Amino acid sequence: MTLVRGCIGSLVAHQPLGKDVIAHAVDAATRDPRFNPVTAAEYPLLNIEVSVLGGGSQRQLPSRPAMEKKPLNHFHPGSSVLSFGTAGCNSGCRFCQNFDIAKARSIDKLSVGASPEKIAQIAASRGIDSVAFTYNDPIVFAEYAIDTAQACRALGIHPIAVTAGYMSAEARPDFYAAMDAANIDLKGFTEDFYWKVTGTHLADVLATIDYAVNEARTPEGEHVWVELTTLLIPGLNDDDAQLHAECTWIREHLGPDVPLHFSAFHPSYRMMDVPPTPHETLTRARAIALAEGLHYVYTGNVHDREGDTTYCPNPQCHAKLIERDWYRIITDRLSASSGGNGHCPKCGTAVAGRWR
C-alpha cells in the first residue's frame, strides 16, 4: 500500500458535502506532482481519509529567538519573538524543513490547547515584543491566526506571519490586515520549479507578495512591513537567469527597499540527495541582487558578516548601520537609543524599516 497525501484547501460545496469532499480528496491525492499518477485499475482500491485543520490548538510555545531568525532584519531588530504553529500545510515542498509538522495529521501533533488570549498573555508575561505564526503556513489556520493577532495587538504585541504566500485573492485582505509584518518565501522564479518542487503556482505567490507590499495596511493605516526569503537549492533555482529575473521583478513591482534574504539549503525530507548550498552561491546571488538595484540583500543560514550587515543605501556613503553575525547584533546605529532613529547617522539617509 502506498500513502498518497494531498491538500484539498478551502472547500465550498456544490453538491452534497460528502461527495464534494471525496471528489476533492481524490483530485488532491492523485494530481500531486510528488507521486506517480494513479492508474484506472487502482482507483477502486483508494482509501480516502480526510483530516480537517482548525484552530484552537498549537504545537508548541518555544523559546524567544531574535527577530532576525524569522528572518526580519528591518522590523524592530534584536527584539524577541514568540513563535508557534499548528499542523499541516497547503504547499507540498519536497525540501520542507519542518516536514514533521507540515505533513502531520492534526490528531498526531496538536496536543496543547491555546486560545488567542492565552498566547498573547504568555508573550506579554515574558516581556516578548512580537508573536510569529510560523513552522507551518499560517494560511491553513488563518482564522485562528487572525484572532490571535487581534489579541496580541490589544496587549501591544506585534503579530507577524512567516508564510509561503500561497493563498487566494479573497483570503489576502483579512489575513494581512491582521499582521504588522511578514516574511514571505519566494521559493524560485519559474512555474516549472514551483509546480514540480512545491506543488503550488508562482503566479499566485507573486500576486500575494504584490498585494502584501503595495496594498496591505495595518488597522492604523500603516503599510505592513514585508521581507522576502529565497532558499537557494543547488541546480534547481540558483542559476543566474532565475536570480536576475527574480530581482528585476522585485525592483519593478515592489521597489528597491524590500529586503531580500538568500538562505542556504540543507538536505531534508524528500531531497536528501541534493547537496547543501555552497557559500559561494549565496555570495553570487547577493551580488546579482545588489547589481539589479536592490538596497538590502542578506545571506542566511551561514556565518557571513558582510551578508548579514545592513548598509546605508546611499551609494556615496554605504556605511555599516547594523552589524550582525548570524542572528546576533554586534552594533546597531539605526535605533533611537543610538541616535539613528531609522536614519544613517553619517549621511542622514532614511533606511526603510520599522525601528525601535
Side-chain angles (χ1 to χ4, degrees):
M1 179 186 72
T2 300
L3 175 64
V4 180
R5 183 173 294 166
C7 179
I8 293 176
S10 301
L11 179 63
V12 178
H14 300 291
Q15 57 182 320
L17 184 59
K19 292 183 179 180
D20 250 4
V21 168
I22 291 172
H24 281 72
V26 170
D27 186 63
T30 58
R31 296 183 61 185
D32 192 315
R34 296 171 296 169
F35 303 101
N36 293 326
V38 175
T39 66
E42 291 173 316
Y43 269 93
L45 304 177
L46 284 177
N47 182 21
I48 304 298
E49 178 181 324
V50 178
S51 297
V52 178
L53 300 176
S57 299
Q58 48 77 45
R59 184 176 186 271
Q60 58 181 351
L61 288 170
S63 59
R64 40 188 289 175
M67 185 68 69
E68 278 74 7
K69 199 170 183 178
K70 293 303 95 189
L72 287 167
N73 282 2
H74 289 234
F75 188 83
H76 304 290
S79 61
S80 55
V81 186
L82 180 68
S83 298
F84 82 94
T86 61
C89 191
N90 64 336
S91 298
C93 300
R94 296 179 62 83
F95 54 84
C96 183
Q97 306 291 295
N98 293 313
F99 64 90
D100 60 324
I101 302 170
K103 309 306 176 187
R105 295 185 180 92
S106 297
I107 195 171
D108 294 334
K109 291 293 183 181
L110 298 181
S111 58
V112 180
S115 68
E117 292 74 21
K118 179 181 178 181
I119 292 171
Q121 289 163 4
I122 289 174
S125 69
R126 297 181 183 181
I128 293 175
D129 304 287
S130 303
V131 166
F133 313 112
T134 181
Y135 301 128
N136 65 321
D137 202 299
I139 194 59
V140 304
F141 58 96
E143 294 86 356
Y144 181 34
I146 290 169
D147 289 346
T148 304
Q150 292 170 346
C152 287
R153 277 217 179 94
L155 297 181
I157 297 165
H158 300 291
I160 296 169
V162 180
T163 170
Y166 187 58
M167 63 182 69
S168 68
E170 293 78 9
R172 291 170 196 141
D174 289 343
F175 182 80
Y176 281 100
M179 304 301 157
D180 284 349
N183 185 287
I184 306 176
D185 287 337
L186 181 50
K187 298 176 185 287
F189 212 73
T190 68
E191 171 61 16
D192 185 67
F193 172 86
Y194 255 89
W195 178 239
K196 290 182 179 178
V197 181
T198 78
T200 62
H201 298 289
L202 174 61
D204 296 308
V205 175
L206 294 181
T208 294
I209 293 172
D210 194 313
Y211 176 86
V213 172
N214 294 315
E215 298 185 52
R217 299 288 192 281
T218 68
E220 296 75 29
E222 189 175 34
H223 276 282
V224 174
W225 181 253
V226 177
E227 301 188 22
L228 305 177
T229 297
T230 300
L231 183 75
L232 294 179
I233 306 174
L236 293 176
N237 65 349
D238 62 342
D239 59 277
D240 286 6
Q242 274 195 77
L243 294 171
H244 277 288
E246 174 180 330
C247 296
T248 298
W249 184 88
I250 291 171
R251 186 189 69 245
E252 293 179 350
H253 289 80
L254 313 178
D257 287 337
V258 173
L260 173 61
H261 303 257
F262 288 116
S263 294
F265 163 85
H266 299 287
S268 183
Y269 192 42
R270 298 181 182 277
M271 296 188 95
M272 297 299 295
D273 57 335
V274 179
T277 309
H279 196 142
E280 296 75 17
T281 298
L282 300 176
T283 303
R284 173 172 54 85
R286 182 171 180 269
I288 287 172
L290 292 172
E292 286 288 350
L294 303 189
H295 290 162
Y296 311 108
V297 188
Y298 301 98
T299 55
N301 293 348
V302 294
H303 281 287
D304 184 348
R305 284 281 191 99
E306 182 176 354
D308 288 339
T309 294
T310 300
Y311 293 87
C312 176
N314 179 355
Q316 279 74 48
C317 178
H318 201 57
K320 293 181 179 180
L321 301 178
I322 302 179
E323 295 184 71
R324 303 179 182 85
D325 184 10
W326 203 267
Y327 305 121
R328 183 172 63 92
I329 292 179
I330 300 167
T331 305
D332 181 358
R333 300 184 179 91
L334 284 174
S335 64
S337 59
S338 67
N341 253 338
H343 292 74
C344 174
K346 184 177 179 181
C347 70
T349 298
V351 179
R354 305 287 183 267
W355 314 105
R356 294 197 292 171

